């Protein structure tokens, strides 16, 4: 493994073969999925039956493409709305939590930090079940005690938002905290000595330094929310997100429209990753 030492041809062949097999293993399923989105077949699998755009543009009656599939379009919109609210809440709360754990000193700080990390190590299925039971218990209590009925305590859009927020905010906290540890506090002290207000220091110096981490964490939080399945499955109501909707279609038998949806998701997430990469390089 020492690069300066001479290597045998066998090692070079093994090294290059490992690289090829590794990336084939990663990307071959994605490539097959994207290709089958254009397959002129009624089934989302091989063999290849010819090129067709029906699974994007067809408007029935035999085939309904993605852009005319109201069920999938509603699910995509619901996923976007869910991811938007989850990412905003997670960035705000996660950034505040990073300031709490990195800049403040208080009793039981270490214990509370470990509790904050708990949602990341608890399986998503257990997390979803526990949140559903807690919401049902709270809803029953308010209904029987005060006669109040809150939609948020039933499987619904906002319960999904709160459920995803509970663990995605922890991820944002870790990302922003890692960046905050590298911050030179003497910059804040110098600004305060020059007459800046504490709010001005945080806004123009600290948050500006944290901006790449905040933007990156927000982008990843959006993607984590958009593709979440395990936790969402137990909290979703009458408005399923896209992963739940795709699961139901695959379970009940579907058409290559699921490949079309997958292709659009791959393109969308790739573009988001490129924008985030460009933004981080520009700010650095």
């Amino acid at each position: 493994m020492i690069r300066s030492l001479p290597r045998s041809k066998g090692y070079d062949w093994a090294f290059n073969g490992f690289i090829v097999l590794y990336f084939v293993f990663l990307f071959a399923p994605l490539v097959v999925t994207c290709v089958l989105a254009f397959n002129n077949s009624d089934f989302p699998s091989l063999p290849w039956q010819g090129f067709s755009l029906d699974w994007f543009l067809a408007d029935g009656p035999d085939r309904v493409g993605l852009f005319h599939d109201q069920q999938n379009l509603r699910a995509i919109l619901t996923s976007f709305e869910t991811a938007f609210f989850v990412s905003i809440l997670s960035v705000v709360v996660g950034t505040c939590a990073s300031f709490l754990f990195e800049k403040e000193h208080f009793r039981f700080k270490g214990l509370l930090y470990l509790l904050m990390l708990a949602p990341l190590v608890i399986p998503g299925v257990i997390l979803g079940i526990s949140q559903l039971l807690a919401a049902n218990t709270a809803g029953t209590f308010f209904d029987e005690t005060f006669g109040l009925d809150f939609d948020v305590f039933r499987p619904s859009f906002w319960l999904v938002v709160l459920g995803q927020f509970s663990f995605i905010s922890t991820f944002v906290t870790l990302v922003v905290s890692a960046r905050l540890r590298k911050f030179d506090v003497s910059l804040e002290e110098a600004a305060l000595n020059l007459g800046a207000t504490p709010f001005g220091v945080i806004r123009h110096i600290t948050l500006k330094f944290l901006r790449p981490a905040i933007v990156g964490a927000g982008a990843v939080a959006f993607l984590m929310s958009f593709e979440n399945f395990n936790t969402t499955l137990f909290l979703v109501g009458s408005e399923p997100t896209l992963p739940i909707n795709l699961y139901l279609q695959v379970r009940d038998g579907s058409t290559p429209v699921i490949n079309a949806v997958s292709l659009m998701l791959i393109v969308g997430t790739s573009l988001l990753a490129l924008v985030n990469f460009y933004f981080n390089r520009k700010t650095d």
Side-chain angles (χ1 to χ4, degrees), residues 11 62 77 102 133-134 143 175 219 224 230 238 266 281-282:
Y11 177 86
D62 297 328
L77 179 60
E102 295 300 325
L133 294 177
D143 186 26
V175 174
M224 289 178 65
N230 291 344
S238 59
I266 292 171
R281 288 197 60 182
K282 186 176 180 180

Side-chain angles (χ1 to χ4, degrees), residues 221-236:
F222 186 93
L223 295 177
M224 289 178 65
S225 172
F226 195 94
E227 58 84 27
N228 182 261
F229 176 81
N230 291 344
T231 303
T232 305
L233 179 64
F234 296 94
L235 307 177
V236 72

Side-chain angles (χ1 to χ4, degrees), residues 162-184:
L162 293 177
Q164 294 183 2
F165 161 76
S166 66
F167 66 92
I168 294 179
S169 58
T170 300
F171 169 80
V172 175
T173 301
L174 294 177
V175 174
V176 178
S177 296
R179 176 80 173 179
L180 189 57
R181 291 191 192 102
K182 302 177 182 179
F183 181 68
D184 186 0

Side-chain angles (χ1 to χ4, degrees), residues 39-222:
N39 190 15
N40 188 23
S41 171
D42 292 331
F43 303 98
S45 60
L46 294 171
W48 178 258
Q49 300 291 336
F51 181 84
S52 175
L53 292 176
D54 285 352
W55 302 115
F56 293 92
L57 305 176
D59 192 16
D62 297 328
R63 293 179 177 180
V64 178
L66 172 60
F67 298 121
H68 297 280
D69 189 336
Q70 297 302 317
Q71 183 179 4
N72 277 314
L73 292 177
R74 282 196 302 268
I76 292 173
L77 179 60
T78 301
S79 290
F80 269 107
E81 292 175 344
T82 303
F84 172 78
F85 286 107
V86 169
S87 58
I88 294 298
L89 290 173
S90 298
V91 166
V92 172
V93 176
T95 301
C96 293
S98 66
F99 276 91
L100 175 67
F101 286 108
E102 295 300 325
K103 288 184 169 292
E104 301 295 334
H105 300 281
F106 50 90
R107 296 182 62 185
F108 307 116
K109 177 179 176 180
L111 176 61
L112 293 177
Y113 187 82
L114 290 177
L115 291 177
M116 180 199 69
L117 298 178
L120 291 181
V121 299
I122 296 176
V125 173
I126 304 301
L127 196 61
I129 293 175
S130 62
Q131 290 172 345
L132 177 62
L133 294 177
N136 287 338
T137 302
T140 302
F141 171 79
F142 279 102
D143 186 26
E144 295 179 351
T145 305
F146 304 104
L148 299 175
D149 184 18
F150 295 103
D151 290 339
V152 72
F153 293 133
R154 295 197 299 264
S156 61
F157 172 83
W158 290 110
L159 187 59
V160 172
V161 170
L162 293 177
Q164 294 183 2
F165 161 76
S166 66
F167 66 92
I168 294 179
S169 58
T170 300
F171 169 80
V172 175
T173 301
L174 294 177
V175 174
V176 178
S177 296
R179 176 80 173 179
L180 189 57
R181 291 191 192 102
K182 302 177 182 179
F183 181 68
D184 186 0
V185 295
S186 63
L187 297 176
E188 292 181 334
E189 296 171 354
L192 291 172
N193 291 335
L194 293 173
T197 63
F199 178 76
V201 170
I202 293 176
R203 177 184 176 186
H204 296 289
I205 297 179
T206 312
L207 289 181
K208 187 176 182 180
F209 176 81
L210 294 176
R211 185 166 58 184
I214 293 175
V215 173
V220 176
F222 186 93

